[in-house]
Amino acid sequence: MALVVQKFGGSSVANPRLIKRVAARVVAQKKRGDDVVVVVSAIGDTTDDLIQLSRQITKNPLEREMDMLISTGEQVTIALLAMAIHQLGVEAISFTGAQVGILTDSSYTKAKILDIHSKRIEEELKKGRIVIVAGFQGMTLNQDITTLGRGGSDLTAVALAKVLRAKICEIYTDVDGVYTADPRIEKRARKLDRVSYDEMLELASLGAQVMQGRSMEVAKKFEVPLHIRSSFSNRPGTMIMKEVKAMEDIVVSGVTVNKAEAKVTLRGVPDRPGVAAKIFKEIAASNVNIDMIIQNVSRTGTTDVSFTVPQGDLRKTLEISRRVARKIGAEQVTYADDIAKVSVVGVGMRSHSGIAAKMFAALAAKRINIEMISTSEIKISCVIQRRFAERALRAVHQAFGLHALKG
Ligand code: ADP
Ligand code: ASP
Ligand code: MG
């Protein structure tokens, strides 16, 4: 018997009516003869609401307590979905992440999955039950509750699909699949029928919210078969698959914008060996992921070093940067949190040239200044002023003719 993992995001379980719809969909899959494991997110905007609630108590909560708080959202949904499935006369059982042995490290609010003891799930499936698992959460060896980073239910689903060897991991969401750009920003964005693991990993990491970036790292590494589709229709969505030659014909498959980063600059940094190592070693030790880095040309024996970090880590990064700046004799630490990063992604970039020039020209034509640039084999990213984010995304989407792309 084959196994299917189905994940439903917050908007797909936003109210009791939708939870009942999800129940019907899951039961239909079960009746087709498959074993079904369901992963659900918290109802609607519950996670945001819980975060807001904590802010009314303190701006600086312990991350352990934050996880204790925000993991509660998913627990509500699993119980309600189990009840809705029971109402349809089908057996189902709900579990928290801890109960099904999702073991993580202790980096609270962005914990990494170390292992999953899937025995309990397998036992319940053998009994013919639908198994419902709370997304986004796990447990440390010390039995502390952790969460897997925003959007982390995707990671729960992908990791379960991997350990249970699912024939498919279906990600049900509020759009029809993966688009050439966020359809909320670019109305002319086109749905893609298939996307390679590499591209989806880049798109997700660069801000295409439809899949969590880290979940795509796992999906790519283990080639978990993924289908991203709408929970509001039966239309096929986007298949994430291994790259095939024909994919290279499309030079750019998607454009993203990420408004959740901030830029930190160390000014007047002594220009000598070992200084960069010192700065970034200390920041890495505090578990902050640095994205882009630029160092200016040194004219006077000192230089400026700028880098970007997730906005949520800005306060921590500034504290460390100021400390390091004093140690290495840098003059000053400044920051900007009004930036955005626009990126283009496509496996076709490996075999086509002139992509960067085209992107820069599209931004220039809209009089948008580029503050930082970074490239990899299949992506180009530019940091710009945040107020231009949407305009930049649309300009680049247009420049690459994505509105006319055939999925
Ligand atoms: P869920 O609650 O189901 O996890 P999310 O809100 O996390 O859903 O992700 C779905 C949203 O991702 C869509 O509503 C869409 O606005 C946004 N999105 C951003 N970029 C893309 C893209 N390239 N393709 C599809 N959706 C995208
Ligand atoms: N509820 C969590 C969040 O909003 C996890 C998820 O939806 O995937 O980030
Ligand atoms: Mg999501």
Side-chain angles (χ1 to χ4, degrees), residues 95 99-102 116-127 131 160 163-164:
F95 292 113
Q99 281 179 301
V100 290
I102 300 182
I116 299 183
H117 301 301
S118 55
K119 194 162 152 266
R120 183 77 197 267
I121 298 182
E122 281 156 15
E123 281 169 9
E124 296 297 336
L125 290 172
K126 265 195 209 117
K127 291 180 198 157
V131 173
L160 283 174
V163 295
L164 297 167

Side-chain angles (χ1 to χ4, degrees), residues 7 151 154 209:
K7 178 254 168 180
D154 296 332
Q209 193 192 337

Side-chain angles (χ1 to χ4, degrees), residues 356-376:
K358 199 171 195 168
M359 180 178 187
F360 303 159
L363 296 175
K366 296 283 174 199
R367 306 197 145 279
I368 299 170
N369 190 40
I370 301 171
E371 298 182 13
M372 292 168 110
I373 298 167
S374 86
T375 63
S376 78

Side-chain angles (χ1 to χ4, degrees), residues 7 9-10 41 150-154 173 209-212:
K7 178 254 168 180
S41 295
R150 295 307 305 269
S153 298
D154 296 332
T173 183
Q209 193 192 337
V210 64
M211 280 302 283
Q212 188 212 30

Side-chain angles (χ1 to χ4, degrees), residues 7-12 41 154 172-175 177-184 207-210 255:
K7 178 254 168 180
F8 295 87
S11 45
S12 306
S41 295
D154 296 332
Y172 286 93
T173 183
D174 59 358
V175 277
V178 180
Y179 279 68
T180 50
D182 186 341
R184 276 188 238 188
Q209 193 192 337
V210 64
V255 187

Side-chain angles (χ1 to χ4, degrees), residues 181-187 257 259 389-391 393-394:
D182 186 341
R184 276 188 238 188
I185 304 177
E186 173 52 275
K187 296 277 171 285
V257 63
K259 296 200 241 175
E390 284 78 15
R391 197 191 302 177
L393 179 114
R394 287 190 210 106

